[in-house]
Amino acid sequence: MRSLALALGLLCTASVAAAQSPERGTRSERSVLREGELWISPILRVRERGEIRLGNYEYMLGDPPLVDDLDRFRVEHRVWMGADARWRNFRAVLVLRDARRFGQAGQEQATTDLFQAFGELTFDEGWLRVGRQEIRWGNQRLISAAPWGPGISFDAVRGRVDLGGISFDAFGAWLLSQPGGFGSVLPNTEHPGRLLFGLRAMAVVSPALVLEPTVLYRYDGFSDHNPSPGGLGGLGNLEEPHLGTGSIRMHGVASGFVYDLEAMAQIGEEPNGGDVHLAFAGAGWAGYRFGGALGFELWGGGSFGTGPSDDLDTFDNLFPANHARYGIIDYASLANMGSAFVRVRTAPEGTKLAVWLDVHGFALPEPQGPWRGQNGRLLGRSAANGEHLLGLELDLVANWRPSPAVSLQGGYSLFLPGPAAENLGHDEISQFFYVMLDLRLP
């Protein structure tokens, strides 16, 4: 009871959220300092999130593996602070990040590091950027900034060219080490030879039809070493010295109707015997915004990623933002996973409040394959499992944003285990509560 009271107290003090630099665009006049042609925008974002997890699913490899459902109480603290400077066609961004975790049976972790540091040269048709930077592509199922956690940044050279209705975006990144679940700015385990390249095109045919083909290639020059067995979003499968991923995304808006579809294919080379890694994935959703003072919306969709079988392998979803895609309790990803969801959302006029309810269903395409959660951590695996259905999840979230600088969000998630989860040792109901305050310079 004392730990529960402490956790509730932490929740009451929770949630002050901080600001990374924008991907592109300008800051408001209120936060820009000007001296002739020099513009300097201070960057500050603070986020405090209090969490209570009851019956949190845990799994540790061993003989036999350790399977348990534990209670977790913690506060996630994040601060991003820096500046965005512009002079003529030049831009420089520097952002420091402080990430700390308090609670969780006395556990405390802290990291203070350089989150972003890049220089940029702009020209009429685009820009060229060099240094440590965030990269957000498409619906962020493969390359993202992972905003729920500490965030991901890459040491990269990146450029974009805009040619009217079509644009091209490319980058090359040297991954010294892999992002992990807590400290995710390519932390300190060096991994020489790991490279990541990407090329994306965007063709705007009309507001109702936008096409985004993407190609990604990862080279694992030191494939015998895997510094992050759990990894982020499925990175437990990083054995392939060569891995290529292609996707085509189609999305648009028309008369209140919104949709987003994406198909992905993956081929690579595994080091053991030179076997071919072949995997597929797909995702999509659609929604409709009804008129009226209640701001009512209805959404639905699903996703599918292959698992290990005689012909196919587990899909590696690289560096995704899984939390916003597959349920807030973080028990799903795109690796060996099929999912479906329905969302009902309302944002009444004049309240600056949005409330939504999600219902998710999850299943393992390959029952004997791994069950991986949001940050790639293994939640279970058994050769004896013959069931597909993992369970159902209900998420209720409310977000109040009284101004561009402040938002207060709270959520509750309930996971009801199905026969597959029970066979993998998780037969208890799991719950997740959080309160999050996000403050940033406008």
Side-chain angles (χ1 to χ4, degrees), residues 75-280:
V75 168
E76 299 277 358
H77 164 81
R78 307 282 185 265
V79 175
W80 295 265
M81 182 169 56
D84 183 343
R86 306 179 189 221
W87 180 75
R88 297 183 179 178
N89 292 340
F90 299 95
R91 180 188 180 204
V93 170
L94 177 68
V95 179
L96 300 176
R97 180 195 64 180
D98 185 70
R100 298 174 188 270
R101 175 180 296 166
F102 305 98
Q104 193 167 329
Q107 177 183 359
E108 179 176 336
Q109 301 184 37
T111 359
T112 302
D113 56 14
L114 185 63
F115 183 64
Q116 292 201 89
F118 65 80
E120 180 181 291
L121 174 64
T122 63
F123 46 93
D124 290 341
E125 294 81 17
W127 45 265
L128 177 67
R129 183 181 299 170
V130 179
R132 180 164 292 181
Q133 55 192 280
E134 291 182 316
I135 302 177
R136 299 182 178 100
W137 271 14
N139 206 25
Q140 300 192 65
R141 295 187 187 273
L142 297 173
I143 300 293
S144 79
W148 179 258
I152 302 175
S153 58
F154 299 87
D155 294 324
V157 176
R158 182 184 176 194
R160 178 178 293 174
V161 176
D162 297 307
L163 305 173
I166 187 169
S167 63
F168 297 91
D169 194 337
F171 74 88
W174 181 26
L175 307 183
L176 292 176
S177 53
Q178 288 299 335
F182 181 74
S184 63
V185 181
L186 308 178
N188 49 20
T189 304
E190 290 196 0
H191 193 179
R194 177 166 284 170
L195 304 173
L196 180 68
F197 300 93
L199 173 63
R200 181 186 64 158
M202 178 185 293
V204 181
V205 180
S206 71
L209 180 59
V210 180
L211 300 174
E212 292 185 35
T214 299
V215 177
L216 297 163
Y217 168 71
R218 187 185 67 216
Y219 171 68
D220 242 356
F222 193 29
S223 59
D224 291 336
H225 176 57
N226 185 358
S228 180
L232 178 69
L235 293 180
N237 304 312
L238 292 179
E239 303 114 13
E240 302 83 15
H242 303 276
L243 184 67
T245 305
S247 73
I248 178 71
R249 179 179 177 228
M250 179 173 65
H251 58 100
V253 180
S255 302
F257 177 75
V258 184
Y259 73 96
D260 194 308
L261 305 172
E262 190 167 8
M264 294 156 273
Q266 197 167 73
I267 188 168
E269 175 190 358
E270 297 185 1
N272 300 325
D275 293 337
V276 174
H277 170 99
L278 184 64
F280 298 93

Side-chain angles (χ1 to χ4, degrees), residues 47 56 70 100 127 131 139 152 163 189 191 208 286 348 364 394 410 422 424 428:
R47 183 176 70 207
N56 188 58
L70 304 175
R100 298 174 188 270
W127 45 265
N139 206 25
I152 302 175
L163 305 173
T189 304
H191 193 179
L364 295 175
L394 284 74
E422 292 173 353
L424 297 175
E428 294 187 11

Side-chain angles (χ1 to χ4, degrees), residues 13-90:
T13 64
S15 258
V16 177
Q20 294 106 302
S21 69
E23 174 84 354
R24 194 73 184 133
T26 59
R27 306 296 297 269
S28 69
E29 289 289 336
R30 288 176 297 173
S31 61
V32 174
L33 308 176
R34 299 185 60 178
E35 181 63 39
E37 295 183 272
L38 177 64
W39 293 45
I40 299 179
S41 302
I43 295 170
L44 177 62
R45 184 180 178 191
V46 183
R47 183 176 70 207
E48 305 288 345
R49 184 174 67 243
E51 300 181 355
I52 296 179
R53 294 180 181 267
L54 302 179
N56 188 58
Y57 295 166
E58 303 284 347
Y59 182 93
M60 295 182 63
L61 292 173
D63 188 17
L66 174 62
V67 183
D68 207 344
D69 302 332
L70 304 175
D71 295 342
R72 299 288 191 189
F73 316 104
R74 67 192 187 198
V75 168
E76 299 277 358
H77 164 81
R78 307 282 185 265
V79 175
W80 295 265
M81 182 169 56
D84 183 343
R86 306 179 189 221
W87 180 75
R88 297 183 179 178
N89 292 340
F90 299 95

